Coordinates of all heavy atoms in Angstrom, one line a residue:
Chain A
L297 N 7.7 12.4 7.7 CA 7.8 11.5 8.9 C 6.4 10.7 9.0 O 6.4 9.6 9.6 CB 8.1 12.3 10.1 CG 9.5 12.8 10.3 CD1 9.6 13.8 11.3 CD2 10.4 11.6 10.5
T310 N -11.4 9.0 6.9 CA -11.6 7.7 6.3 C -12.4 8.0 5.0 O -13.5 8.6 5.1 CB -12.3 6.7 7.1 OG1 -11.8 6.8 8.4 CG2 -12.2 5.3 6.6
L347 N 18.1 30.1 35.9 CA 18.8 29.0 36.7 C 20.1 29.5 37.4 O 20.7 28.8 38.0 CB 19.1 27.8 35.9 CG 17.9 27.1 35.2 CD1 18.4 26.0 34.4 CD2 17.0 26.5 36.3
Y359 N 28.3 36.1 30.2 CA 28.0 34.7 30.4 C 26.5 34.4 30.4 O 26.1 33.4 29.7 CB 28.6 34.2 31.8 CG 28.4 32.8 32.1 CD1 29.4 31.9 31.8 CD2 27.2 32.3 32.6 CE1 29.3 30.5 32.0 CE2 27.1 30.9 32.9 CZ 28.1 30.0 32.6 OH 27.9 28.7 32.8
F388 N 2.3 4.5 17.5 CA 2.7 3.3 16.8 C 2.8 2.1 17.7 O 3.5 1.1 17.4 CB 4.0 3.5 16.1 CG 4.0 4.7 15.1 CD1 4.7 5.8 15.3 CD2 3.2 4.6 14.0 CE1 4.6 6.9 14.4 CE2 3.1 5.6 13.1 CZ 3.8 6.8 13.3
R390 N 1.8 -1.2 19.5 CA 1.0 -2.4 19.0 C -0.3 -2.5 19.7 O -0.3 -2.6 20.9 CB 1.9 -3.6 19.1 CG 1.2 -4.9 18.8 CD 2.1 -6.0 19.0 NE 3.3 -5.9 18.2 CZ 3.4 -6.2 16.9 NH1 2.4 -6.8 16.3 NH2 4.5 -6.0 16.2
Q394 N -3.1 -6.8 16.8 CA -2.3 -6.5 15.6 C -1.1 -7.4 15.6 O -0.4 -7.6 16.6 CB -1.7 -5.1 15.7 CG -2.8 -4.0 15.5 CD -2.2 -2.6 15.5 OE1 -1.2 -2.4 16.1 NE2 -2.9 -1.7 14.7
T395 N -0.9 -8.0 14.4 CA 0.2 -9.0 14.3 C 1.2 -8.6 13.3 O 2.2 -9.2 13.2 CB -0.4 -10.4 13.9 OG1 -1.2 -10.2 12.8 CG2 -1.2 -11.0 15.1
G396 N 0.9 -7.5 12.5 CA 1.7 -7.2 11.4 C 3.0 -6.5 11.8 O 3.2 -6.2 13.0
D397 N 3.9 -6.3 10.8 CA 5.1 -5.6 11.1 C 4.9 -4.1 10.7 O 3.9 -3.7 10.2 CB 6.2 -6.1 10.1 CG 6.9 -7.4 10.6 OD1 6.5 -7.8 11.7 OD2 7.7 -7.9 10.0
G398 N 5.9 -3.3 11.1 CA 6.0 -2.0 10.6 C 6.3 -2.0 9.1 O 6.6 -3.0 8.5
L399 N 6.4 -0.8 8.5 CA 6.8 -0.7 7.2 C 8.3 -1.0 6.9 O 9.1 -0.6 7.8 CB 6.5 0.7 6.6 CG 5.0 0.9 6.2 CD1 4.9 2.3 5.5 CD2 4.5 -0.2 5.3
E402 N 14.1 1.3 5.2 CA 15.4 1.1 5.7 C 16.2 2.4 5.8 O 17.3 2.4 6.4 CB 16.2 0.1 4.7 CG 15.4 -1.2 4.5 CD 16.3 -2.3 4.3 OE1 17.4 -2.1 3.6 OE2 16.0 -3.4 4.8
E408 N 18.1 11.9 6.2 CA 19.3 11.8 7.0 C 20.3 12.9 6.7 O 20.9 13.4 7.6 CB 20.0 10.4 6.6 CG 19.2 9.3 7.3 CD 19.7 7.9 6.9 OE1 20.8 7.6 7.3 OE2 19.0 7.3 6.1
W411 N 18.9 15.8 8.8 CA 19.2 15.8 10.3 C 20.7 15.6 10.6 O 21.1 15.5 11.7 CB 18.3 14.9 11.1 CG 18.3 13.4 10.8 CD1 19.4 12.6 10.8 CD2 17.1 12.6 10.7 NE1 18.9 11.3 10.6 CE2 17.6 11.3 10.5 CE3 15.8 12.9 10.6 CZ2 16.7 10.2 10.3 CZ3 14.9 11.8 10.5 CH2 15.4 10.6 10.3
S426 N 29.8 31.2 20.7 CA 30.5 31.1 22.0 C 32.0 31.6 21.8 O 32.6 32.0 22.8 CB 30.5 29.7 22.6 OG 31.4 28.9 22.0
Y427 N 32.5 31.5 20.6 CA 33.8 32.1 20.4 C 33.8 33.6 20.6 O 34.6 34.2 21.2 CB 34.3 31.8 18.9 CG 35.6 32.5 18.6 CD1 36.8 32.0 19.1 CD2 35.6 33.7 17.9 CE1 38.0 32.7 18.8 CE2 36.8 34.3 17.6 CZ 37.9 33.8 18.1 OH 39.1 34.5 17.8
Y430 N 33.6 34.3 24.2 CA 34.9 34.0 24.8 C 35.8 35.1 24.5 O 36.5 35.6 25.4 CB 35.4 32.7 24.1 CG 36.7 32.1 24.7 CD1 36.9 32.1 26.0 CD2 37.7 31.6 23.8 CE1 38.1 31.6 26.5 CE2 38.8 31.1 24.3 CZ 39.0 31.1 25.7 OH 40.2 30.6 26.2
W456 N 49.5 31.3 31.6 CA 48.5 31.3 30.5 C 47.3 32.2 30.8 O 46.8 32.1 31.9 CB 48.1 29.9 30.1 CG 49.2 29.3 29.3 CD1 49.9 29.9 28.3 CD2 49.6 28.0 29.4 NE1 50.8 29.0 27.8 CE2 50.7 27.8 28.4 CE3 49.4 26.9 30.2 CZ2 51.4 26.6 28.3 CZ3 50.0 25.7 30.1 CH2 51.0 25.6 29.1
W522 N 36.9 29.8 42.6 CA 35.6 29.9 41.9 C 34.7 30.9 42.6 O 34.5 30.7 43.9 CB 34.9 28.5 41.8 CG 33.6 28.5 41.2 CD1 33.2 29.3 40.1 CD2 32.4 27.7 41.5 NE1 31.8 29.0 39.8 CE2 31.4 28.0 40.6 CE3 32.2 26.7 42.4 CZ2 30.2 27.4 40.6 CZ3 31.0 26.1 42.4 CH2 30.0 26.4 41.5
K529 N 36.1 30.7 37.0 CA 36.9 29.6 37.7 C 38.2 29.5 37.1 O 38.4 29.5 35.9 CB 36.1 28.3 37.7 CG 36.7 27.2 38.5 CD 35.9 25.9 38.4 CE 34.6 26.0 39.0 NZ 33.5 26.1 37.9
Q530 N 39.2 29.3 37.9 CA 40.5 29.0 37.4 C 41.3 28.1 38.4 O 41.2 28.3 39.6 CB 41.3 30.3 37.2 CG 42.8 30.1 36.8 CD 43.0 29.4 35.5 OE1 42.4 29.8 34.5 NE2 43.7 28.3 35.5
D531 N 41.8 27.0 37.9 CA 42.6 26.2 38.8 C 43.8 26.9 39.4 O 44.4 27.8 38.7 CB 43.1 24.9 38.0 CG 42.0 23.9 37.8 OD1 40.9 24.2 38.1 OD2 42.3 22.8 37.2
I533 N 47.4 26.0 40.7 CA 48.2 24.8 40.4 C 49.6 25.0 41.1 O 50.2 26.1 41.0 CB 48.4 24.6 38.9 CG1 47.0 24.5 38.2 CG2 49.3 23.4 38.6 CD1 47.0 24.5 36.8
I553 N 34.9 29.6 46.4 CA 34.7 28.2 46.6 C 35.9 27.5 46.0 O 36.3 27.8 44.8 CB 33.4 27.7 46.1 CG1 32.3 28.4 46.7 CG2 33.3 26.2 46.2 CD1 30.9 28.3 46.0
A555 N 37.1 24.5 44.0 CA 36.3 23.6 43.1 C 37.1 22.4 42.7 O 36.6 21.6 41.9 CB 35.8 24.3 41.9
E556 N 38.3 22.2 43.2 CA 39.1 21.0 42.8 C 39.3 20.2 44.0 O 39.8 20.7 45.0 CB 40.3 21.4 42.1 CG 41.2 20.3 41.6 CD 40.6 19.6 40.4 OE1 40.4 20.3 39.3 OE2 40.4 18.4 40.5
G559 N 41.5 17.3 49.2 CA 41.8 16.6 50.4 C 40.5 16.6 51.3 O 39.5 17.0 50.9
H562 N 38.2 19.6 51.7 CA 37.9 20.3 50.4 C 36.6 21.1 50.5 O 36.5 22.3 50.1 CB 37.9 19.3 49.3 CG 37.3 19.8 48.0 ND1 37.7 20.9 47.4 CD2 36.3 19.3 47.2 CE1 37.0 21.1 46.3 NE2 36.2 20.1 46.2
Chain B
N185 N 35.8 10.8 51.0 CA 36.6 10.9 49.8 C 37.0 9.5 49.3 O 37.0 9.2 48.1 CB 37.9 11.7 50.0 CG 37.6 13.2 50.0 OD1 36.4 13.6 49.9 ND2 38.6 14.0 50.3
R391 N 9.3 -3.9 15.0 CA 9.1 -4.6 13.8 C 9.4 -3.7 12.6 O 8.6 -3.7 11.6 CB 7.6 -5.1 13.7 CG 7.1 -5.8 14.9 CD 7.8 -7.0 15.3 NE 8.0 -8.0 14.3 CZ 8.9 -9.0 14.4 NH1 9.5 -9.2 15.5 NH2 9.0 -9.9 13.4
K392 N 10.5 -3.1 12.6 CA 10.9 -2.3 11.5 C 12.4 -2.4 11.3 O 13.1 -2.5 12.3 CB 10.5 -0.8 11.8 CG 9.3 -0.3 11.0 CD 9.2 1.3 11.1 CE 10.0 2.0 10.1 NZ 10.4 3.3 10.5
G396 N 18.5 3.7 8.4 CA 19.8 4.3 8.1 C 21.0 3.5 8.5 O 21.9 4.1 9.2
T399 N 24.5 5.1 7.5 CA 24.9 6.3 8.3 C 25.2 6.0 9.7 O 26.1 6.6 10.3 CB 23.8 7.4 8.3 OG1 22.6 6.7 8.2 CG2 24.0 8.4 7.2
T421 N 39.9 24.7 32.7 CA 40.4 25.6 33.7 C 41.7 25.3 34.2 O 42.2 25.8 35.2 CB 39.4 25.6 34.9 OG1 39.5 24.4 35.6 CG2 38.0 25.9 34.5
G423 N 44.6 26.0 33.1 CA 45.6 26.8 32.6 C 46.2 26.4 31.3 O 47.3 26.5 30.9
R429 N 42.2 25.6 24.0 CA 40.8 25.6 24.4 C 39.9 25.7 23.2 O 38.9 25.0 23.1 CB 40.6 26.8 25.3 CG 41.4 26.8 26.6 CD 41.2 28.0 27.3 NE 41.8 28.0 28.6 CZ 41.5 28.9 29.6 NH1 40.7 29.9 29.4 NH2 42.1 28.8 30.8
L430 N 40.3 26.5 22.3 CA 39.5 26.7 21.1 C 39.4 25.5 20.3 O 38.3 25.0 19.9 CB 40.1 27.9 20.3 CG 39.1 28.5 19.3 CD1 38.0 29.2 20.2 CD2 39.9 29.5 18.5
N449 N 18.0 8.6 13.9 CA 17.8 7.3 13.2 C 17.0 6.4 14.1 O 16.1 5.6 13.7 CB 19.1 6.7 12.8 CG 19.6 7.3 11.5 OD1 19.0 8.1 10.9 ND2 20.8 6.9 11.1
W455 N 9.4 5.3 14.4 CA 8.3 6.0 13.8 C 7.7 5.1 12.7 O 8.4 4.7 11.8 CB 8.8 7.3 13.2 CG 7.7 8.2 12.8 CD1 7.1 8.3 11.6 CD2 7.1 9.2 13.7 NE1 6.1 9.3 11.7 CE2 6.1 9.9 12.9 CE3 7.3 9.5 15.0 CZ2 5.3 10.9 13.5 CZ3 6.6 10.6 15.5 CH2 5.6 11.2 14.8
G456 N 6.4 4.8 12.8 CA 5.8 3.9 11.8 C 5.9 2.4 12.1 O 5.6 1.6 11.2
R458 N 5.5 -1.1 14.7 CA 4.4 -1.7 15.5 C 5.1 -2.0 16.8 O 5.6 -3.1 17.0 CB 3.9 -3.0 14.9 CG 2.9 -2.8 13.8 CD 1.6 -2.3 14.3 NE 0.8 -1.6 13.3 CZ 0.0 -2.3 12.4 NH1 0.0 -3.5 12.4 NH2 -0.7 -1.6 11.6
I459 N 5.1 -1.0 17.7 CA 6.0 -1.1 18.9 C 5.3 -1.8 20.0 O 4.2 -1.5 20.4 CB 6.4 0.3 19.4 CG1 6.9 1.1 18.2 CG2 7.4 0.2 20.5 CD1 7.0 2.6 18.5
Q487 N 31.7 24.4 25.4 CA 32.0 25.8 25.2 C 32.8 26.4 26.3 O 32.3 26.5 27.4 CB 30.7 26.6 25.0 CG 29.7 25.9 24.1 CD 30.2 25.6 22.8 OE1 30.9 26.3 22.1 NE2 29.9 24.4 22.3
P489 N 33.7 29.3 27.5 CA 33.1 30.3 28.4 C 32.0 29.8 29.3 O 31.9 30.2 30.4 CB 32.6 31.4 27.5 CG 32.6 30.8 26.1 CD 33.5 29.7 26.1
F490 N 31.3 28.8 28.8 CA 30.3 28.2 29.6 C 30.9 27.3 30.7 O 30.5 27.3 31.9 CB 29.3 27.3 28.7 CG 28.2 26.7 29.5 CD1 27.0 27.3 29.5 CD2 28.3 25.5 30.1 CE1 25.9 26.8 30.3 CE2 27.3 24.9 30.8 CZ 26.1 25.6 30.9
V492 N 33.8 27.4 32.2 CA 34.6 27.9 33.3 C 33.8 28.2 34.5 O 34.3 28.3 35.6 CB 35.4 29.2 33.0 CG1 36.5 28.9 32.0 CG2 34.4 30.2 32.4
H493 N 32.4 28.4 34.3 CA 31.6 28.5 35.5 C 31.3 27.2 36.1 O 31.3 27.0 37.3 CB 30.3 29.3 35.1 CG 29.3 29.4 36.2 ND1 29.7 29.8 37.5 CD2 28.0 29.3 36.2 CE1 28.6 29.8 38.2 NE2 27.6 29.5 37.5
H495 N 32.6 24.0 35.5 CA 33.5 22.9 35.6 C 33.7 22.5 37.1 O 33.7 23.3 38.0 CB 34.8 23.3 35.0 CG 36.0 22.3 35.3 ND1 36.0 21.1 34.8 CD2 37.0 22.4 36.1 CE1 37.1 20.4 35.2 NE2 37.7 21.2 36.0
D496 N 33.8 21.2 37.3 CA 34.0 20.6 38.6 C 32.8 21.0 39.6 O 33.1 21.2 40.8 CB 35.3 21.1 39.2 CG 36.4 20.0 39.0 OD1 35.9 18.8 39.0 OD2 37.6 20.3 38.9
N561 N 24.4 27.1 40.6 CA 24.3 28.1 41.7 C 25.4 28.0 42.7 O 25.3 28.8 43.7 CB 22.9 28.0 42.3 CG 21.9 28.6 41.4 OD1 21.6 29.8 41.5 ND2 21.3 27.8 40.6
G562 N 26.3 27.2 42.5 CA 27.5 27.3 43.4 C 27.8 26.1 44.2 O 28.6 26.2 45.2
R566 N 32.2 16.7 44.7 CA 33.2 16.0 45.6 C 33.3 16.7 47.0 O 34.4 16.8 47.5 CB 34.5 15.9 44.9 CG 34.5 15.0 43.8 CD 35.8 15.0 43.0 NE 35.9 13.9 42.0 CZ 36.8 13.8 41.1 NH1 37.7 14.7 41.0 NH2 36.9 12.8 40.3
G646 N 9.3 -6.2 8.5 CA 8.4 -5.5 7.6 C 7.7 -6.4 6.6 O 6.8 -6.0 5.9
R648 N 5.8 -9.1 7.3 CA 4.6 -9.6 7.8 C 3.5 -8.5 7.8 O 3.1 -8.0 8.8 CB 4.8 -10.0 9.3 CG 4.8 -11.5 9.5 CD 4.9 -11.8 11.0 NE 4.9 -10.6 11.8 CZ 5.3 -10.7 13.1 NH1 5.6 -11.8 13.6 NH2 5.2 -9.6 13.9
E652 N -2.8 -8.7 7.5 CA -3.4 -8.0 8.6 C -3.9 -6.7 8.2 O -4.9 -6.2 8.6 CB -2.3 -7.9 9.7 CG -2.9 -7.2 10.9 CD -1.9 -6.2 11.5 OE1 -0.7 -6.6 11.6 OE2 -2.3 -5.1 11.7
E656 N -7.5 -5.1 9.0 CA -7.6 -4.0 9.8 C -8.4 -2.8 9.1 O -9.2 -2.2 9.7 CB -6.2 -3.5 10.2 CG -6.2 -2.5 11.3 CD -4.9 -1.7 11.3 OE1 -4.8 -0.7 10.5 OE2 -4.0 -2.1 12.0
N661 N -13.0 0.8 8.6 CA -14.0 1.3 7.7 C -15.4 1.1 8.4 O -16.2 2.0 8.3 CB -14.0 0.5 6.4 CG -13.0 1.2 5.4 OD1 -12.5 2.3 5.7 ND2 -12.7 0.5 4.4

Side-chain angles (χ1 to χ4, degrees):
Chain A
L297 286 166
T310 317
L347 297 177
Y359 182 93
F388 304 111
R390 175 181 300 279
Q394 289 185 331
T395 51
D397 278 359
L399 281 187
E402 306 214 321
E408 286 172 73
W411 61 54
S426 82
Y427 174 78
Y430 185 43
W456 283 318
W522 179 34
K529 185 182 292 105
Q530 174 61 54
D531 285 5
I533 301 170
I553 299 164
E556 182 71 58
H562 166 53
Chain B
N185 286 355
R391 313 298 311 166
K392 254 189 88 203
T399 28
T421 68
R429 298 173 172 194
L430 202 62
N449 280 353
W455 198 268
R458 281 288 159 82
I459 307 165
Q487 315 305 317
F490 183 92
V492 288
H493 176 43
H495 170 68
D496 264 332
N561 281 276
R566 294 170 167 171
R648 253 184 4 192
E652 182 222 312
E656 196 199 83
N661 276 345

